[in-house]
Amino acid sequence: MLRLNRRAVLAGAALAPFAAKAQTGPATIRIVVPYPPGGSVDAIARLVQPGLQQRLGTTVIIENRTGASGSIGTDHVAKATPDGSTWLFSFDNLVLNPFVLGKLPFDTETDLEPVYLLGKAPYVVCTKADKPYRSLADVIAAARERPGKITYGTPGAGSLGHLAMTLLGKEAGVQIVHVPYRGAAPALNDTLAGHVELFVGSIAVATPQIDAKAVRALAQLGETRAPTLPEVPTARESGFAKIAADAWWGFFAPAGTPGAAIERFRAAVDAGLQDAALAKQITEGQGVTLVRAGPEKLRAFVQAQMALWGPVAREHDITAK
């Protein structure tokens, strides 16, 4: 007769949940990151991956499918078989692309299933430390005094920073000149060199230079103040009620993915973010404020963002080209 010792029984019991999970889902899961390695989307996906793999009991692969401001990878997921094996991890460009890229081969609202809103981080307006500006009001006053002379750099044409500053200029009744760059780093470098008056980008990119006192943060463009910049007011607090420009990160699935698969994936991601070490890596390392919201809140958020930024892009003929 085969006899099992107590240790073997306990070991088997400990592994049973993972074995059960592996049987209920695909053998391999792909998380498509539609941006190159090195950016925040890729970095966060790779931070989440080990715990997600453990909790799902399956192999989780991060796959970078880049191009067209994230729309190539997004299209791949939108057309993937909705069996729970393919997921998208994206950020704020997702809601802007339908308006700044022209006709896309997929519909953002109907071809993707919202899964999980991981977190947000405000865009910030910064200036070189030796510039005279101390607040957003100073920038607006300078733009009134010198129309068409105050410049700001962003990571690119059609970016959230571009649209937010366009809306800000409209509300303030001033012209602030946009200078697009191919990424946040060159825009910030030219701000440090004094070639542009302002840098508008995510808090994660700007924080090292803010901490080093090389640049001064004048305003946050998000809905609320970030915990890491508690002394810097928001644009709303500065009198611009329509401005709410947050970078954000979320998971999506192909439309038609079963609800049980979505819930299983969402729960696994959320459980991982309850780990203090992982949460610290994301909040402090990437400047993200965790939101941890489910499908319906992410759906409502995406719809609200498209309703806000679509008209701005159309009215001002903003494109990513």
Side-chain angles (χ1 to χ4, degrees):
M1 178 182 293
L2 178 65
R3 300 181 64 183
L4 298 176
N5 62 34
R6 183 172 179 272
R7 182 175 296 177
V9 172
L10 290 176
L15 291 172
F18 291 114
K21 288 178 181 177
Q23 291 169 4
T24 59
T28 301
I29 282 175
R30 292 181 305 136
I31 297 176
V32 174
V33 171
Y35 306 100
S40 64
V41 183
D42 181 73
I44 294 171
R46 294 182 189 279
L47 287 171
V48 169
Q49 185 265 349
L52 187 60
Q53 182 166 273
Q54 182 186 40
R55 287 174 175 83
L56 293 176
T58 190
T59 300
V60 176
I61 298 171
I62 307 299
E63 182 178 318
N64 298 90
R65 282 184 173 259
T66 66
S69 194
S71 63
I72 289 178
T74 302
D75 182 51
H76 175 77
V77 174
K79 291 179 169 60
T81 303
D83 59 2
S85 66
T86 306
W87 307 82
L88 173 73
F89 187 54
S90 193
F91 80 145
D92 50 70
N93 277 15
L94 182 73
V95 298
L96 307 180
N97 285 342
F99 309 107
V100 302
L101 289 180
K103 186 170 178 58
L104 295 173
F106 61 90
D107 187 298
T108 303
E109 293 186 88
T110 62
D111 292 340
L112 295 172
E113 202 69 49
V115 176
Y116 187 75
L117 178 57
L118 183 143
K120 298 181 185 180
Y123 274 65
V124 292
V125 180
C126 301
T127 190
K128 190 180 178 185
D130 62 4
K131 294 289 184 181
Y133 315 112
R134 299 282 169 178
S135 67
L136 198 54
D138 290 343
V139 173
I140 301 303
R144 288 198 175 107
E145 291 172 8
R146 294 184 288 148
K149 300 297 183 182
I150 306 302
T151 57
Y152 69 96
T154 73
S159 64
L160 185 57
H162 182 191
L163 270 68
M165 289 298 286
T166 300
L167 185 57
L168 177 68
K170 179 184 177 181
E171 280 203 65
V174 298
Q175 181 189 11
I176 309 175
V177 180
H178 179 227
V179 181
Y181 289 83
R182 289 186 177 275
L188 183 55
N189 288 340
D190 263 16
T191 304
L192 291 168
H195 299 315
V196 288
E197 299 287 288
L198 307 167
F199 167 74
V200 182
S202 75
I203 190 173
V205 174
T207 291
Q209 298 298 339
I210 295 171
D211 290 344
K213 301 190 184 307
V215 300
R216 181 186 307 115
L218 304 176
Q220 304 186 53
L221 301 181
E223 288 187 88
T224 58
R225 297 189 187 194
T228 53
L229 287 179
E231 75 288 353
V232 180
T234 66
R236 286 182 170 183
E237 291 172 319
S238 303
F240 301 97
K242 294 181 180 179
I243 306 297
D246 283 295
W248 56 270
W249 296 262
F251 286 96
F252 297 80
T257 299
I262 287 175
E263 174 54 25
R264 178 170 173 261
F265 186 90
R266 182 211 64 78
V269 176
D270 192 65
L273 292 175
Q274 294 179 52
D275 177 78
L278 176 60
K280 183 176 181 180
Q281 285 180 298
I282 294 174
T283 57
E284 295 185 11
Q286 298 295 324
V288 174
T289 298
L290 295 178
V291 176
R292 294 175 50 197
E296 290 313 309
K297 287 189 177 180
L298 177 54
R299 186 186 309 278
F301 177 75
V302 166
Q303 290 172 344
Q305 289 288 292
M306 293 180 75
L308 172 63
W309 299 117
V312 176
R314 285 192 292 261
E315 179 181 347
H316 297 276
D317 196 25
I318 294 174
T319 69
K321 300 174 182 177

